[in-house]
Amino acid sequence: MSTDRTRPAGRRDQNGPRSAPGGPRSASNGSRSAPNGPRPVPPQRSRRPQPHRPLRPHQWFAERLLAVLSGQRPVHWMLGHTIGEAYDQLAELAPSTPLRATHGSRPVLRHCRGAQPATGVVEAFASIAAGDRVRAMAFRLEQGADQRWRCAAVELGGERLTAGAPGPR
């Protein structure tokens, strides 16, 4: 058993592991690879390197509303993220899953855009695709005194989602 605790037992070389296959060092003797040998492939770069940006409030809410209205998440997942009658509307509509999967295709958010008609208000729309079907969803967000955004209204496919009215089939 090796007494050196910096290397795994049974390792005899003094060098660390190679950084990548085909790298500048050979595994057997630490010498440089042949000039005509395999060259390391440079990492792929995207056309526009962009730093990771957090989702904007309307994009975040569109994902959440889609998850609830498609049956992927329970309606209480939106508790605390809605105001007024919006939560009651979602609670009544969620069991009918108006944005449910069709023909085995899980619905996905295609586009989401928002406009700010007044300070603390965002009106947004999204297109949702499930298989060969595309649906539209519009919603309104209002910013409270605590600076948190909450959903105040939801419309789906031109029909206002109201409590008591069944969702489109």
Side-chain angles (χ1 to χ4, degrees), residues 35-52:
N36 293 335
R39 295 188 182 264
V41 177
Q44 294 288 333
R45 294 186 184 198
S46 64
R47 291 182 198 171
R48 292 180 288 161
Q50 294 179 347
H52 175 68

Side-chain angles (χ1 to χ4, degrees), residues 35-114:
N36 293 335
R39 295 188 182 264
V41 177
Q44 294 288 333
R45 294 186 184 198
S46 64
R47 291 182 198 171
R48 292 180 288 161
Q50 294 179 347
H52 175 68
R53 286 187 280 167
L55 291 177
R56 301 182 91 180
H58 60 276
Q59 295 167 325
W60 187 82
F61 270 93
E63 291 284 352
R64 281 188 166 261
L65 289 169
L66 172 61
V68 170
L69 294 174
S70 66
Q72 297 171 31
R73 289 287 191 165
V75 72
H76 69 265
W77 197 47
M78 291 296 289
L79 190 62
H81 298 291
T82 55
I83 57 174
E85 295 180 17
Y87 181 79
D88 295 334
Q89 292 171 353
L90 288 172
E92 204 159 313
L93 290 167
S96 67
T97 59
L99 295 177
R100 69 186 170 280
T102 58
H103 305 294
S105 298
R106 183 176 172 184
V108 294
L109 185 66
R110 287 180 43 181
H111 301 288
C112 183
R113 302 281 188 268

